[in-house]
Amino acid sequence: MDMLKTPFLADMMRLSKEIYAKGWGEANGGNISMRITPEEMFPFQHCLTTGITTKLPFSLPELAGDYFLVTGTGVFYRNIADYPHESLGIVKISDDGNKTTMVWGYTSGGRPTSELPAHLLSHAVRKKNSQGKDKIVLHTHATNLIALSFVLPLDTRVVTKELWEMMSECVVLFPDGIGVMPWMMPGSLEIGHATAELMKSHSLVMWAHHGIFGAGKNMDQVFGLIETADKAAEMLLKVMAAGGKKQAITPEELKALANAFGLAPLAGVLD
Ligand code: 13P
Ligand code: ZN
């Protein structure tokens, strides 16, 4: 079977178009990674080769043997579906967890995204936290969330409460809130470690003045998570521009809403 016909590649190509259509992936802005287990990859072994091996600046034994379908650095979201072999690639994590080997794609001399540290460190955290269910880490330059990071205090609980107040779906889709971090050097090890630290307790992490990282079990779920947070951010910006809130969903109503779905909202936000 052709690798392009696998559900992994089909999903990646479909979502790349949607991300571009949303305006969240200008030029090479944003990147995606999808964890594929050795069992899931087994039927497609004949499509794989052994390419360049690269040492990682950390060791992640939790990911040993896993495969990652990852967008290439410098790749434009708008071109991924038309040029999948050049735009995408698959790397395998070594048995000791500290090397990657390219096993598919990245033709024309490509290599994985410059944000690979943030992706792999986040996957390691989310794999453990979700008992293996979380498979996707998605970074986009979501317009309204970025804009919001210029006007709200860069505080996890403040930003979480503001977004939850905007629409009922927010506390239901991200009861664990949105982790907020200051601007840091893109592609650095530092931004990678800081993101993974916040991913221990939040499925969404805001990179101030840059973008958003989301994690979850499949592409649609993570896309929906970011889409919902970005819509809430858009409404908040409109409300601010219109002179500010006159009323909002109250903390008691948000608690009752979370309770109705059997969810525990992030502590310290509604008290
Ligand atoms: P890459 O082109 O290396 O994926 O980087 C894009 C980006 O969004 C950096 O944060
Ligand atoms: Zn970015």
Side-chain angles (χ1 to χ4, degrees):
M1 190 188 183
D2 179 0
M3 189 58 91
L4 287 189
K5 303 235 166 60
T6 61
F8 327 121
L9 268 288
D11 235 16
M12 196 78 137
M13 293 192 280
R14 184 172 61 85
L15 261 294
S16 301
K17 277 190 184 160
E18 292 190 25
I19 289 164
Y20 179 67
K22 280 277 190 188
W24 298 343
E26 73 293 336
N28 65 310
N31 23 75
I32 319 178
S33 60
M34 179 191 291
R35 183 168 60 81
I36 304 169
T37 65
E39 296 74 29
E40 288 168 328
M41 190 56 93
F42 186 71
F44 313 108
Q45 284 296 331
H46 61 281
C47 303
L48 305 182
T49 55
T50 301
I52 299 167
T53 293
T54 307
K55 178 113 174 49
L56 290 166
F58 41 74
S59 184
L60 296 172
E62 330 55 332
L63 302 181
D66 280 341
Y67 295 86
F68 287 89
L69 172 59
V70 189
T71 50
T73 186
V75 161
F76 288 24
Y77 267 121
R78 67 191 288 261
N79 289 337
I80 290 177
D82 290 333
Y83 302 99
H85 294 95
E86 293 86 346
S87 309
L88 302 171
I90 299 176
V91 296
K92 185 180 185 194
I93 309 294
S94 59
D95 291 341
D96 50 11
N98 64 14
K99 288 185 277 308
T100 60
T101 300
M102 293 184 193
V103 294
W104 182 86
Y106 302 127
T107 60
S108 312
R111 59 194 167 82
T113 172
S114 59
E115 303 292 4
L116 192 65
H119 281 262
L120 292 182
L121 290 161
S122 296
H123 272 290
V125 164
R126 300 303 305 190
K127 182 179 177 183
K128 187 166 170 233
N129 273 17
S130 68
Q131 288 84 45
K133 287 196 192 74
D134 281 359
K135 297 279 188 69
I136 306 294
V137 171
L138 172 57
H139 168 51
T140 71
H141 293 179
T143 317
N144 298 294
L145 288 164
I146 300 172
L148 206 56
S149 74
F150 288 87
V151 293
L152 285 186
L154 297 179
D155 179 281
T156 291
R157 282 170 175 77
V158 172
V159 177
T160 295
K161 182 160 185 269
E162 292 287 345
L163 294 180
W164 283 356
E165 278 184 356
M166 281 298 116
M167 52 199 270
S168 310
E169 284 74 12
C170 286
V171 73
V172 178
L173 288 194
F174 48 99
D176 52 353
I178 178 166
V180 178
M181 50 192 259
W183 186 90
M184 285 185 191
M185 184 59 73
S188 63
L189 203 49
E190 187 198 13
I191 203 171
H193 281 296
T195 307
E197 190 55 36
L198 284 174
M199 281 272 170
K200 285 182 184 165
S201 29
H202 313 281
S203 50
L204 283 173
V205 174
M206 176 190 269
W207 282 7
H209 323 317
H210 179 152
I212 183 95
F213 254 70
K217 58 182 192 301
N218 60 50
M219 284 284 194
D220 280 316
Q221 190 225 333
V222 184
F223 184 87
L225 197 57
I226 295 179
E227 187 177 35
T228 305
D230 196 67
K231 178 164 179 175
E234 181 180 7
M235 289 194 287
L236 182 54
L237 292 166
K238 284 183 178 171
V239 169
M240 286 171 155
K245 283 176 236 168
K246 298 281 191 289
Q247 56 275 321
I249 312 173
T250 66
E252 288 65 37
E253 286 168 335
L254 286 167
K255 275 188 220 167
L257 179 59
N259 196 36
F261 281 84
L263 300 166
L266 178 66
V269 178
L270 299 176
D271 310 317

